[in-house]
C-alpha cells in the first residue's frame, strides 16, 4: 500500500480510483481513493481493505474445527501536499513538492476463542523534486521522490500482542 504523500500533478482536477481483487482462496482486496489537485495543492484520501475467511485448523483437528476465521485489515490515508517551486520559480518547470499524510491502521480477527482487534495512526512524510517542461507537441518530465512511511515509529497492539508497523523509506525515479 504505497502512497507518496508528496505526489504532485501538473493539472488541476479530480481523480477517482476503485479496485477490487479476488486474491487466493476467500480473500478480497479493495481500494477506494479520491485525489484533488488545484494550483499546486494536492489532497488525497485512500481506503484499502484486506479481508479473508479461512477454516480454523488445529493440531488436534487438522481437517478443520468447523469454525471460520474472519480477518480484516483496513488502512485509511489522508494527505496533503504543495508544490513550493510554484512560489520560488514560477514557470521554470522545476518542482519541489512536500507533503504529509495521516495513515490509520485497523486490524481485527474473529476466530471463536482467539479474537483480537487493534488500531493505530501514524504520520508519513515525503518530497518530490522534479523538472517538467512542455514543448510544441511534446512533454518531458523527470522526478525523484522519497517517502518515509510511519515517520512516528508507531506499533499496533491487539490483545496481549504488539506488532511493529512498517517503517519504510521508499525512493522512486520517473
Amino acid at each position: 500500500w504505497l502512497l507518496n504523500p508528496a505526489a504532485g500533478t501538473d493539472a488541476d482536477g479530480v481523480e477517482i480510483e476503485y479496485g477490487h481483487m479476488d486474491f487466493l482462496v476467500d480473500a478480497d482486496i479493495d481500494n477506494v481513493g479520491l485525489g484533488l489537485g488545484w494550483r499546486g495543492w494536492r489532497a488525497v484520501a485512500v481506503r484499502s481493505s484486506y479481508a479473508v475467511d479461512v477454516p480454523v485448523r488445529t493440531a488436534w483437528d487438522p481437517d478443520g474445527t468447523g469454525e471460520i476465521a474472519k480477518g480484516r485489515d483496513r488502512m485509511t490515508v489522508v494527505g496533503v501536499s504543495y508544490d513550493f517551486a510554484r512560489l520560488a520559480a514560477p514557470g521554470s518547470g522545476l518542482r519541489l513538492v512536500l507533503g504529509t499524510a495521516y495513515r490509520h491502521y485497523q486490524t481485527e480477527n474473529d476466530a471463536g476463542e482467539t479474537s483480537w482487534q487493534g488500531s493505530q495512526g501514524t504520520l508519513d512524510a515525503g518530497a518530490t523534486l522534479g523538472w517538467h517542461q512542455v514543448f510544441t507537441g511534446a512533454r518531458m518530465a523527470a522526478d525523484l521522490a522519497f517517502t518515509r512511511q510511519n515517520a512516528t515509529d508507531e506499533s499496533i497492539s491487539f490483545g496481549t500482542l504488539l506488532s511493529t508497523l512498517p517503517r519504510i523509506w521508499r525512493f522512486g525515479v520517473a
Side-chain angles (χ1 to χ4, degrees):
W1 292 326
L2 169 63
L3 177 97
N4 179 0
T9 180
D10 288 338
D12 295 346
V14 176
E15 297 176 63
I16 298 173
E17 171 204 354
Y18 172 77
H20 171 80
M21 180 173 57
D22 290 323
F23 187 68
L24 299 176
V25 178
D26 296 324
D28 294 318
I29 299 174
D30 291 294
N31 295 296
V32 177
L34 174 66
L36 305 170
W38 182 72
R39 296 185 181 178
W41 286 98
R42 182 123 180 97
V44 296
V46 178
R47 170 80 172 201
S48 297
S49 67
Y50 173 79
V52 62
D53 297 335
V54 294
V56 175
R57 292 182 173 84
T58 66
W60 301 274
D61 205 345
D63 294 328
T65 64
E67 294 178 297
I68 301 294
K70 298 178 178 291
R72 305 284 181 267
D73 288 324
R74 294 178 192 92
M75 183 186 65
T76 304
V77 181
V78 177
V80 64
S81 64
Y82 183 71
D83 185 354
F84 286 92
R86 292 174 69 106
L87 298 174
S92 68
L94 292 176
R95 294 176 44 164
L96 175 58
V97 183
L98 303 176
T100 188
Y102 175 76
R103 184 183 299 255
H104 185 265
Y105 294 91
Q106 180 181 3
T107 184
E108 58 189 53
N109 184 339
D110 182 11
E113 294 179 18
T114 309
S115 298
W116 72 76
Q117 63 181 8
S119 66
Q120 181 64 53
T122 69
L123 287 177
D124 297 355
T128 299
L129 178 62
W131 175 74
H132 291 207
Q133 195 66 49
V134 177
F135 301 101
T136 304
R139 178 175 186 248
M140 294 183 63
D143 286 325
L144 173 64
F146 68 90
T147 299
R148 172 69 164 131
Q149 183 175 325
N150 189 11
T152 50
D153 291 333
E154 300 291 342
S155 298
I156 188 170
S157 63
F158 36 92
T160 59
L161 303 174
L162 182 67
S163 177
T164 301
L165 293 171
R167 296 174 181 147
I168 301 170
W169 277 102
R170 290 191 169 109
F171 299 89
V173 177

